[in-house]
Each structure stands twice: as structure tokens, then as C-alpha cells.
């Protein structure tokens, strides 16, 4: 009896009970598709979070005052109403702080130090077109590198522009399109709260901000004194961005920055600091582990759905074989060898599992084309292998094991089975 | 002649154990020559089916020796037993035992598929066997689309399509009416006339009258072995078979 023949028997066996075959296939399909899709969405979410952290710049420390005074990117929430630290000593971050941090003697691990003044929502007007920029940043040229903001067209501003407090600006993609449409904004004039600025560069698009609600491309960056002169005044800094010399020096940079600031702000080792340092590396670690838990949870849900699918398959396979024990008896009585019977049932199970499994993979592939709630799913190959492996394995085992048991019976025992 | 087709020596079969023990066969010895046509009779529970299942290698005896064509069945392994069932034995059940949702043709082809016969030859032989039982016009029908008599004829076709040395039938007419019984018996008579060895079980004297030899079982023992016609002659009723049985006759 040839293999082809056994395959033909198996297919005929499946065709003989279409509804049951369909339901088994459906069970496997849902299990496989659910696992792959859930894992893909978990992975997509985690990657998008990682990406938005990386976009903030690598190896950077962001120092900001710990009591209001305009946190990074947020609108200034003046005052220290809920300040619980030693209020008398609380001091803002100043340009002098930044300059002290830039001293290579005291902070050897810093590659660059960029003082930052940022205001939320500044209105930009150009030829009647007006746009409210959600983030206006006044800083030094090193800011571009530290925060990973490359210019696409035009150029950065340089130290000279800072010293001369020139009214030049580098704008984000969103600002450029809002104000100029498709035209090249470089060299054009834009007035910010009535003060004319010349656009000298457009930042490379950072892409959709993923989970964050803020558009990272809705930004304008100008020399620090320019923004202080015309908009914010020469007050405190919003933050200081310190870029470490490398990944392995961020921690030492943080220690050095802490030492300098503690000294300058007169903070004793026991007192609480009036500033805080956001370490990109630690942030990334924290978020990674959070995302890891999240992905793990999704994985658990997926595993449960696979388990439920597996129980479904097991159930149908067991019922199928039990129900067909009599048929096995008939086949044995007319001289079917055990191998042929087992082969037929194993093939039936294989065909069903593979059909369901592969359709499930196909559906998962189609499903991962869609972006749901801002998450772009990312297929994880190992999840495909796992889902397929488990469902086909379950199908084979629970199709094969009872079939083998039935095929071992004496024909008369199988025939008497009801 | 050569070795008898069947040779049983002191076959016993005990079901269950302890209090629930049933001694279905208590030492049956029997020899069946090639070409014989044997009817096994006996009261319900006398062990007829038990004996038949052992003859057909569907079950194994508790003790005793059983030879088919001179081969000791007890010494065969699982694989050889399957080949033996496939090549040497054709079994017809009281409850037909066709495989559901498979056409009559496919059912008849099945033993040949397990026997490794090529697809084309299988088709030809299955059609010939179905024609022999008068079902040429029903080959595409599935068992649930056939009458009981027709199903039993398909089962007979399936049993004889491999040209087995031995045709075994456990109450083949037990579920059939007189007309269908006549049809099946006619086929069996024809096969006997063609030299096939047949053993069948029946409750009805009318059916037993077709056999060349009648064996009676009581409580698992052979109590009577009566020959009605010579082994190498035609079956006793065969002469009258040229005319159909009068309908409704008992
Ligand atoms: N699988 C079994 N387990 C236990 N006892 C059994 C089994 N099969 C048959 N028996 C017993 O063996 C005895 C003989 O049964 P068997 O089926 O051979 O009778 P029979 O002559 O074919 O009867 P009938 O004419 O009613 O078909 C009965 O007493 C029956 O109860
Ligand atoms: Mg019986």
C-alpha cells in the first residue's frame, strides 16, 4: 500500500466529515493567528516605545529643576506650590550652571553641554499663514547632536549665531509644511510673536511619535539668546542637556554632574536636590523592562488562547478516533495493516493541523498589515514557529495517540466498540 | 488432496474472569475441506459468533490450535495476520459493516487497496464483483442510500473480490427479508458451485438447507455434524436455483 494511497484515504476521510474537519481547522487557525498577532502587536508596541526613547538622543542626561520652572517640553507651571524639598535653598538652573558643567576639569565625561529654554506654543506667522508651534527651543548648536536631530535641508546654526543672538531658526517638518507647504522654507522669514526670524534649516522628519501624543516634528530651534531676548527673557533655564562621551560614561557623567550641581546649589549629602537628572540609559532600561512585562502578558494571553485551541483540537481528534473505532475494526477485518490505519489517521490530523496552522499564519500576516491604536505590529518569526509547532504537535499527538491505540485492538474489539 | 482449508483442534474461548467468566467455546475440533459449504447452527449464545470470529482471525482463542491452509495462525505476528485476513479470508457480517460515506465501489475496492492491487485492476475487479452480486447499477451509491439486502450484497462482493480461500458469513441473512435472503443465498450457492469454501452461521433451516454440511453447536460444543451433499459436488439446492425462489415462501 503506497503512501499516496494512504494520503488519498486520509483526504477521503476528511471529506467524509466536512463540518468536523472545518471546525478542527478553525480551532487551530484561531489559536495560531491569535498567538502570532498578539506577539506581533506586543513587539510592535515595544519597538515603537524604544524608538521614541532613542529619538530623544543617545547617552544624554537631561537636568531640570525639580520644582516647576518649566520641565522639559512642558509649559511652564510656575511656582513651587507643591514643593516639599528645602524651599529656602531651592534654586533654578542658570546659564552659569551650564557653564560650570561644561568645564572639562570637573565633568570630564561630558562631550557637550547645551542649556535649553523651551516654551510651549509660540505663534509663527508668515505671509498670512499662521501656525502655533507646540515647542520652541532656545539652545546651543550642540543640542542638535545631543538630542539626535539632524538637519535635512539648509544648515544648523553655529556658535557665532548664538554669540550674536541672531534671529535664525531651524524648524521641524510639521512647522515647515504648515507654513510653507511644499515650498523650500530655507532663507524665508517667519515672525515669532512679532519678532522676525530667518529659517536656515529644516530638521529631518523624526517619524510619527508612536504612542506619544505630541508631534515631535512640531518644533522650532533657535539660538538661546535669541529666544531669551525676544520671548522668554533672561531667566532660568528649562533644562540642561548633557551628552556623555559614550554609552559607558553616562553613569560617571551623571555622578559628575550631580557633584557640580550639589556644590553650586549648596546641597548637602543628606538634603534633597532641587534638580533632577533624567538619564536616557536608565530611562531606556526602565521602559524596556516595563515593555517586557507588557509583552510577557500578551504572550501569556496568547499562550492561553493556544492552549484553549489545543484543547479544542484534542477534543475533536479524540472524538473522531473514538467515533471511528468501528471503522478501524472494519478496516482491520478486511486486512488493513496497522501501519496503514495509523498512517491514515496521522495524515488526517496532519492535513487538518497544517491547513489550519498555515491559514492562521496567513491571516496573521494579513492582520499585521493593519495599524491598530497607533501600534504597528511587527511579526516575530519565533512566534510563528512556536504557534505552528504547538498546534501541529497537539494535532498529531492527539490524532495519532488514540488512533494508535485503536489500531492495536483486535479487530473484534474495535468492531464491538460503540 | 492437500491440507484442509480449516483445521481446528480443541479450540476454547473464555470471556471474562472470576464470577463473570463465560466459557463460550469448550473444545471445538473441526476440519473443513476445500470446496465445502458448511452451515453452523445452534441456539442463541451457543458460541457460533465466537467460533466465527476465531475462524476469521478477528479474535484469538483462549487455547487450542487453528490452521488455515496448513498455517498455524497462533504463530503469526500482527503483520502476517493482516495479510492473512486480506488474502485468505472474506468476512460477511450480520450488520453488513460497510464503511459509511464511501461508495459501494470504494468499499469493494478497499481490501484490494490494502492488498496492494493496482488502481486500474482494482476498479475492474470491483466492478466485476459488484456485477456478480447484481449491483452494477448501484456502484456510486453510499451505504445509507442502499437497502439492507443491497448493502449485504455489497458486503459479499467485498468479501469475494480478493478471491479468498475461505468465505465466512455470520448470519448474512439475519437482517434480511425473504426476497433479499434469496438473493444472497443465490450468490453463495453460485460461489460454492464455483469451488469456493464457505462457512456460514444461520438460525434458519431454510438457509442451512443450502449447505453441503450442517454443524450444530450447543453450549460451546459441536453436538452434531451432518453432511447433506458431497464436498466436490454442487450445493444441494443449486439445481433449483435456476428458477427464482417463489416470493414470500418461508
Ligand atoms: N465480548 C464478550 N464478552 C463476554 N462474553 C461474551 C462476549 N461475546 C460473547 N460472549 C458470551 O459468549 C457466549 C457465546 O456468544 P456468541 O456471540 O458466540 O453466541 P451466538 O451463538 O453467536 O449467539 P447469537 O445466535 O445470539 O448470535 C454468550 O454467552 C455470550 O454472552
Ligand atoms: Mg451471533
Amino acid at each position: 500500500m503506497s503512501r499516496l494511497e494512504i494520503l488519498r484515504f486520509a483526504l477521503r476521510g476528511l471529506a467524509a466529515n466536512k463540518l468536523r474537519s472545518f471546525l478542527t481547522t478553525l480551532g487551530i487557525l484561531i489559536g495560531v493567528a491569535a498567538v502570532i498577532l498578539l506577539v506581533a502587536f506586543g513587539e510592535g508596541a515595544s519597538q515603537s516605545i524604544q524608538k521614541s526613547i532613542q529619538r530623544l538622543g543617545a547617552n544624554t542626561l537631561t537636568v531640570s529643576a525639580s520644582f516647576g520652572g518649566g520641565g522639559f517640553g512642558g509649559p511652564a507651571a510656575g511656582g513651587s506650590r507643591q514643593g516639599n524639598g528645602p524651599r529656602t535653598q531651592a534654586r533654578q538652573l542658570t546659564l552659569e550652571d551650564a557653564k560650570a558643567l561644561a568645564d572639562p576639569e570637573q565633568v570630564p565625561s561630558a562631550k557637550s553641554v547645551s542649556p535649553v529654554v523651551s516654551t510651549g506654543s509660540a505663534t509663527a506667522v508668515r505671509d498670512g499663514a499662521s501656525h502655533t508651534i507646540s515647542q520652541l527651543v532656545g539652545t546651543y548648536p550642540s543640542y542638535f547632536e545631543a538630542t539626535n536631530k539632524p538637519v535635512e535641508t539648509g544648515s544648523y546654526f553655529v556658535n557665532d549665531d548664538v554669540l550674536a543672538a541672531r534671529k535664525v531658526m531651524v524648524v521641524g517638518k510639521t512647522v515647515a509644511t504648515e507654513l510653507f507647504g511644499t515650498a523650500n522654507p530655507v532663507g524665508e522669514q517667519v515672525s515669532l510673536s512679532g519678532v522676525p526670524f530667518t529659517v536656515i534649516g529644516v530638521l529631518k522628519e523624526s517619524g510619527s511619535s508612536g504612542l506619544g501624543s505630541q508631534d515631535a516634528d512640531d518644533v522650532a530651534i533657535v539660538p538661546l539668546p535669541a529666544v531669551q531676548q525676544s520671548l522668554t527673557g533672561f531667566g532660568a533655564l528649562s533644562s540642561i542637556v548633557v551628552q556623555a562621551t559614550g554609552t559607558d560614561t553616562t553613569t560617571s557623567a551623571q555622578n559628575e554632574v550631580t557633584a557640580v550641581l550639589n556644590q553650586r546649589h549648596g546641597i548637602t549629602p543628606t538634603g534633597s536636590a532641587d534638580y533632577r537628572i533624567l538619564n536616557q540609559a536608565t530611562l531606556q532600561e526602565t521602559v524596556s523592562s516595563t515593555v517586557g512585562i507588557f509583552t510577557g502578558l500578551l504572550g501569556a494571553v496568547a499562550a492561553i488562547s493556544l492552549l484553549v485551541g489545543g484543547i479544542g483540537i484534542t477534543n475533536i481528534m479524540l472524538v473522531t478516533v473514538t467515533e471511528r473505532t468501528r471503522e478501524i475494526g472494519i478496516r482491520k477485518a478486511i486486512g488493513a495493516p496497522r501501519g496503514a490505519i495509523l498512517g491514515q489517521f496521522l495524515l488526517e490530523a496532519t492535513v487538518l493541523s497544517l491547513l489550519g496552522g498555515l491559514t492562521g499564519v496567513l491571516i496573521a500576516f494579513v492582520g499585521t498589515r493593519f495599524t491598530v491604536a497607533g501600534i504597528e505590529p511587527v511579526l516575530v518569526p519565533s512566534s510563528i514557529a512556536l504557534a505552528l509547532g504547538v498546534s501541529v504537535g497537539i494535532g498529531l499527538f492527539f490524532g495519532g495517540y488514540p488512533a494508535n491505540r485503536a489500531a492495536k485492538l483486535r479487530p473484534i474489539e474495535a468492531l464491538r466498540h460503540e | 488432496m492437500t491440507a484442509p482449508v480449516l483445521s481446528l483442534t480443541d479450540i476454547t474461548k473464555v470471556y471474562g474472569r472470576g464470577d463473570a467468566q463465560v466459557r463460550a467455546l469448550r473444545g471445538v475440533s473441526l476440519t473443513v475441506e476445500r470446496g465445502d459449504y458448511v452451515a453452523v447452527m445452534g441456539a442463541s449464545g451457543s458460541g457460533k459468533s465466537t467460533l466465527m470470529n476465531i475462524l476469521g482471525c478477528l479474535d484469538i482463542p483462549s487455547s487450542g490450535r487453528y490452521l488455515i491452509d496448513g498455517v498455524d495462525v497462533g504463530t503469526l505476528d500482527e503483520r502476517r495476520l493482516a495479510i492473512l485476513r486480506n488474502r485468505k479470508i472474506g468476512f460477511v457480517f450480520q450488520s453488513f459493516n460497510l464503511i459509511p460515506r464511501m461508495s459501494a465501489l470504494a468499499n469493494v475496492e478497499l481490501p484490494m487497496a490494502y492488498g496492494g492491487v493496482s488502481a486500474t485492476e482494482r476498479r475492474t475487479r470491483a466492478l466485476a464483483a459488484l456485477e456478480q452480486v447484481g449491483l452494477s447499477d448501484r456502484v456510486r451509491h453510499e451505504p445509507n442510500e442502499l437497502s439492507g439486502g443491497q448493502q449485504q450484497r455489497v458486503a459479499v462482493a467485498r468479501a469475494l473480490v480478493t478471491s479468498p480461500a475461505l468465505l465466512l458469513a455470520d448470519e448474512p441473512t439475519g437482517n434480511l427479508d425473504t426476497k433479499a435472503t434469496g438473493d444472497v443465498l443465490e450468490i453463495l450457492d453460485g460461489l460454492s458451485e464455483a469451488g469456493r469454501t464457505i462457512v456460514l452461521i444461520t438460525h434458519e433451516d431454510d438457509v442451512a438447507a443450502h449447505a453441503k454440511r450442517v454443524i450444530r453447536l450447543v453450549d460451546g460444543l459441536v453436538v452434531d455434524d451432518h453432511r447433506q451433499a458431497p464436498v466436490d459436488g454442487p450445493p444441494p439446492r443449486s439445481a433449483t436455483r435456476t428458477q427464482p425462489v417463489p416470493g414470500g415462501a418461508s
Side-chain angles (χ1 to χ4, degrees):
Chain A
M1 179 140 198
S2 70
R3 270 147 215 255
L4 195 72
E5 197 91 60
I6 297 179
L7 178 66
R8 188 145 5 117
F9 277 5
L11 292 181
R12 201 183 283 168
L14 294 179
N17 208 322
K18 295 198 181 61
L19 182 64
R20 190 166 54 200
S21 304
F22 170 74
L23 287 178
T24 318
T25 314
L26 193 69
I28 301 175
L29 184 157
I30 292 175
V32 169
V35 170
I36 299 177
L37 276 175
L38 284 176
V39 173
F41 274 101
E43 181 68 16
S46 121
Q47 284 194 7
S48 113
I49 292 171
Q50 302 275 15
K51 229 186 267 166
S52 32
I53 293 172
Q54 267 160 19
R55 215 170 33 224
L56 298 176
N59 314 331
T60 58
L61 307 173
T62 305
V63 187
S64 48
S66 64
F67 61 100
F72 184 72
S80 53
R81 260 162 285 161
Q82 6 95 310
N84 49 2
R87 229 174 300 177
T88 44
Q89 292 179 348
R91 280 198 236 167
Q92 305 272 31
L93 289 171
T94 61
L95 200 54
E96 280 64 45
D97 287 331
K99 281 181 179 150
L101 292 178
D103 179 0
E105 296 280 297
Q106 297 204 55
V107 190
S109 302
K111 187 179 173 193
S112 71
V113 176
S114 323
V116 174
V117 169
S118 77
T119 64
S121 45
T123 309
V125 182
R126 175 249 170 197
D127 280 359
S130 135
H131 171 67
T132 305
I133 301 170
S134 63
Q135 201 191 357
L136 175 65
V137 176
T139 186
Y140 283 6
S142 55
Y143 179 81
F144 291 100
E145 194 205 326
T147 60
N148 193 15
K149 287 185 169 29
V151 159
E152 193 177 52
T153 48
S155 60
Y156 306 98
F157 52 79
V158 292
N159 283 331
D160 269 359
D161 298 320
V162 176
L163 291 176
R166 282 195 194 110
K167 306 281 187 296
V168 292
M169 69 195 279
V170 175
V171 296
K173 217 28 175 241
T174 307
V175 179
T177 27
E178 286 291 327
L179 292 177
F180 299 94
T182 52
N184 184 5
V186 176
E188 300 292 325
Q189 292 274 320
V190 170
S191 102
L192 275 181
S193 309
V195 183
F197 278 78
T198 310
V199 177
I200 57 164
V202 179
L203 293 174
K204 192 166 179 284
E205 193 170 8
S206 68
S208 94
S209 54
L211 293 173
S213 52
Q214 206 181 38
D215 180 1
D217 291 314
D218 193 6
V219 65
I221 302 170
V222 301
L224 179 66
V227 77
Q228 286 178 321
Q229 268 176 21
S230 52
L231 293 162
T232 60
F234 293 88
L237 297 176
S238 308
S239 58
I240 301 171
V241 175
V242 178
Q243 185 180 20
T245 48
T247 325
D248 41 348
T249 54
T250 47
T251 314
S252 53
Q254 180 167 5
N255 293 339
E256 291 154 14
V257 168
T258 310
V260 171
L261 289 181
N262 279 356
Q263 195 212 334
R264 288 184 56 81
H265 289 208
I267 290 160
T268 56
T270 49
S272 65
D274 54 2
Y275 61 90
R276 56 196 155 92
I277 300 175
L278 189 72
N279 187 332
Q280 220 64 259
T282 23
L283 178 68
Q284 199 148 343
E285 253 166 51
T286 317
V287 173
S288 293
S289 72
T290 315
V291 167
I293 294 171
F294 173 63
T295 314
L297 265 173
L298 275 185
V301 172
I304 290 173
S305 76
L306 195 60
L307 187 74
V308 171
I311 292 173
I313 303 167
T314 311
N315 216 344
I316 298 183
M317 288 294 179
L318 282 176
V319 169
T320 304
V321 175
T322 315
E323 221 181 74
R324 290 170 67 187
T325 302
R326 198 178 156 80
E327 178 187 326
I328 291 177
I330 300 174
R331 287 177 186 270
K332 288 206 79 169
I334 61 174
R338 193 201 301 172
I341 292 176
L342 193 58
Q344 174 185 343
F345 278 81
L346 274 182
L347 266 176
E348 284 188 18
T350 313
V351 169
L352 283 188
S353 321
L354 273 184
L355 202 70
L358 293 179
T359 324
V361 171
L362 201 74
I363 286 183
F365 266 91
V366 174
T368 47
R369 302 258 139 165
F370 297 101
T371 305
V372 179
I375 301 172
E376 234 176 278
V378 176
L379 275 177
V380 182
S382 60
S383 75
I384 300 177
L386 182 82
L388 259 186
V390 168
S391 64
V392 172
I394 288 177
L396 278 188
F397 181 76
F398 289 101
Y401 169 69
N404 185 36
R405 222 177 35 188
K408 266 193 198 154
L409 291 176
R410 264 177 262 151
I412 197 67
E413 289 167 334
L415 277 172
R416 282 218 191 94
H417 194 276
E418 279 308 333
Chain B
M1 277 217 295
T2 48
V5 177
L6 290 181
S7 166
L8 281 72
T9 321
D10 216 15
I11 292 286
T12 69
K13 178 73 185 178
V14 182
Y15 290 113
R17 50 173 62 122
D19 280 350
Q21 199 175 54
V22 178
R23 300 181 62 197
L25 294 177
R26 299 191 292 170
V28 173
S29 297
L30 188 68
T31 307
V32 177
E33 297 296 338
R34 189 166 304 279
D36 210 347
Y37 187 175
V38 184
V40 179
M41 300 193 70
S44 181
S46 56
K48 304 184 296 294
S49 294
T50 305
L51 177 64
M52 200 60 138
N53 293 333
I54 290 170
L55 293 185
C57 301
L58 306 182
D59 207 350
I60 47 175
S62 304
S63 71
R65 232 162 88 89
Y66 171 35
L67 310 184
I68 292 185
D69 268 350
V71 178
D72 188 344
V73 173
T75 65
L76 298 181
D77 61 12
E78 168 78 27
R79 196 175 56 83
R80 293 227 175 81
L81 264 181
I83 296 174
L84 181 77
R85 283 183 208 118
N86 187 257
R87 306 244 174 96
K88 295 259 165 90
I89 300 166
F91 208 107
V92 179
F93 299 88
Q94 178 173 1
S95 50
F96 321 138
N97 276 342
L98 298 176
I99 294 184
R101 289 184 226 94
M102 260 171 80
S103 71
L105 185 64
N107 262 291
V108 177
E109 280 184 0
L110 201 56
M112 290 185 287
Y114 289 124
V117 179
S118 80
T120 41
E121 191 187 341
R122 232 187 279 165
R123 181 60 45 101
T124 330
R125 278 167 66 178
L127 286 172
L130 281 166
E131 188 177 349
Q132 204 177 342
V133 298
L135 283 177
S136 292
D137 53 342
R138 292 283 189 280
V139 292
R140 298 275 159 220
H141 289 234
E142 289 178 6
N144 59 0
E145 299 163 346
L146 294 170
S147 75
Q150 287 168 338
Q151 288 187 55
Q152 194 59 300
R153 276 143 71 191
V154 173
V156 172
R158 181 179 66 185
L160 62 84
V161 76
T162 50
S163 314
L166 185 60
L167 192 67
L168 302 173
D170 188 350
E171 300 195 47
T173 60
N175 285 343
L176 304 180
D177 68 5
T178 328
K179 167 74 173 65
T181 299
D183 290 344
V184 170
L185 286 177
E186 194 178 338
I187 295 163
L188 293 180
D189 283 352
L191 289 170
S192 173
E193 206 162 347
R196 185 95 1 124
T197 312
I198 301 173
V199 178
L200 67 73
I201 292 177
T202 184
H203 276 296
E204 297 162 69
D205 291 329
D206 283 342
V207 175
H210 287 255
K212 298 174 186 173
R213 178 183 174 193
V214 178
I215 290 172
R216 281 181 196 280
L217 280 186
V218 172
D219 286 343
L221 282 172
V222 177
V223 295
D224 185 33
D225 191 344
H226 167 70
R227 182 159 291 288
Q228 306 188 130
V231 176
D232 40 8
R237 285 286 192 94
S238 190
T240 61
R241 285 272 64 78
T242 40
Q243 287 99 38
V245 205
S250 57

